[in-house]
Amino acid sequence: MPAEIDRNFGALISRLARHQDLTREESSQAFSAVLNDATTSMQQGAFLAALATKGETGEEMAGAWEAIFNLDTVKINLLPPRPLVENSGTGMDAFKTFNISTAAAVIAAAGGLSMARHGARAITSACGTVDMAEAVGVDVECPVEMVAESIARAGIGLFNGMSPTIHPGSLARILSQIHFGSILNIAASLANPAMPVIGVRGVYSEAMILPVVRLMKSIGYKKAIGLYGTITGLDGGMDEASVCGPTHCAELRESGDIRAFTLYPEDYGLRATNPQDLAPSGGLAAEARRFVSLLQNRENGIRKDAVLLNAALVFYAAGTVSGIDGGLQKATRLLENGQAFATLTAWVAAQNREPEKGLRTLERLADPGCLRKERS
């Protein structure tokens, strides 16, 4: 039987190499074989690389998500006072930014949203969602029940997509062994234990916006925005809303309709000319200090603008504001009046088996002297 599985799996790889697409069922079966370690590691890697080279279809992404969610995702039921929301980027984008989505999520939680995040450590970026949360004091290896409690208490929690407490099977094994972007950046990130119904998701190319939004609709999202940010004058873009060029978007509405639109940052007074200011400025320690400084409202440049714009889109997707301009006003108020940093503090305390230790880490980072030393 193993030899037959290997032959059949090899035939799928050959089809992908000839740029032939898989059906949702075939993709689900193939990813089930990968998750169950039913074929050789060499074939598993070849399969992921062949998919990435060909370009993943919506059906293939749906099949991958189905296998991961059904076979290797802990489920948890939450009954928050309002719908669960998530925001993230898929990675694999050409231009690597600092951790915009995590800062935007903290602001969104400060504004009353229930943010059920699901992220990973860095695969193609300099600093992943899990890396940043851990660096500022969040316990990213805690039990799933503690994440749920943090969402209830602090308005935000992070499910670690590379932890066996969240994905107890093979997903962590696979993610820890590959260092290139793959279909897992999309499918695995959507395998959220709490299954939010509202989401904002950045993707790595304009061509992926509609397939990802359609995928989100098919797995139960009621409202969503998929987006890809461009940089004027450069070929590469980002999996975040951009303040350096137009952001292409697709919005899933409650009616089930999907509409495309383009967001121009200059319409909101956010036009920036130096995208390098969005790039990571150093290692994880330096980025953690700047992350905390930003949420203390000590950053007043392009980084602040980028976070505010992305938080505004979360508020807009959730329906708590009527337009992106209203979302910007709300996000700015929450950042500048200290509620964003208070929410970060509450998150560190709530998602932690050793809250005192986590809060000491955050307190050290919040000392302005640490940032001055890092920049000197």
Side-chain angles (χ1 to χ4, degrees), residues 65 89 113 149:
W65 173 86
L113 299 184
E149 182 182 354

Side-chain angles (χ1 to χ4, degrees), residues 141-283:
E141 301 294 344
C142 69
V144 66
E145 293 80 10
M146 183 168 281
V147 181
E149 182 182 354
S150 181
I151 296 170
R153 287 175 50 194
I156 184 170
L158 172 63
F159 298 102
N160 180 355
M162 300 182 82
S163 170
T165 63
I166 308 301
H167 300 288
S170 294
L171 185 58
R173 168 184 63 84
I174 298 165
L175 289 174
S176 66
Q177 292 181 15
I178 62 172
H179 298 279
F180 61 90
S182 76
I183 194 172
L184 295 176
N185 292 71
I186 298 171
S189 66
L190 283 167
N192 189 316
M195 277 310 295
V197 295
I198 300 170
V200 174
R201 185 159 296 263
V203 298
Y204 54 85
S205 74
E206 186 178 355
M208 291 304 298
I209 297 172
L210 273 174
V212 167
V213 172
R214 289 171 180 150
L215 172 60
M216 295 172 77
K217 177 182 177 180
S218 74
I219 66 176
Y221 280 79
K222 304 303 180 186
K223 294 191 288 185
I225 294 176
L227 57 86
Y228 172 72
T230 68
I231 303 172
T232 300
L234 294 179
D235 291 334
M238 63 186 75
D239 61 348
E240 311 277 2
S242 176
V243 292
C244 301
T247 296
H248 303 293
C249 307
E251 178 187 4
L252 169 64
R253 297 173 167 180
E254 280 189 290
S255 63
D257 296 332
I258 297 175
R259 75 166 185 116
F261 67 96
T262 301
L263 185 158
Y264 296 92
E266 56 266 31
D267 291 345
Y268 306 97
L270 299 177
R271 183 72 170 143
T273 57
N274 187 7
Q276 291 304 320
D277 289 339
L278 294 176
S281 57

Side-chain angles (χ1 to χ4, degrees), residues 87 113 129 132 207 267 288:
N87 74 317
L113 299 184
T129 296
M132 180 55 70
D267 291 345

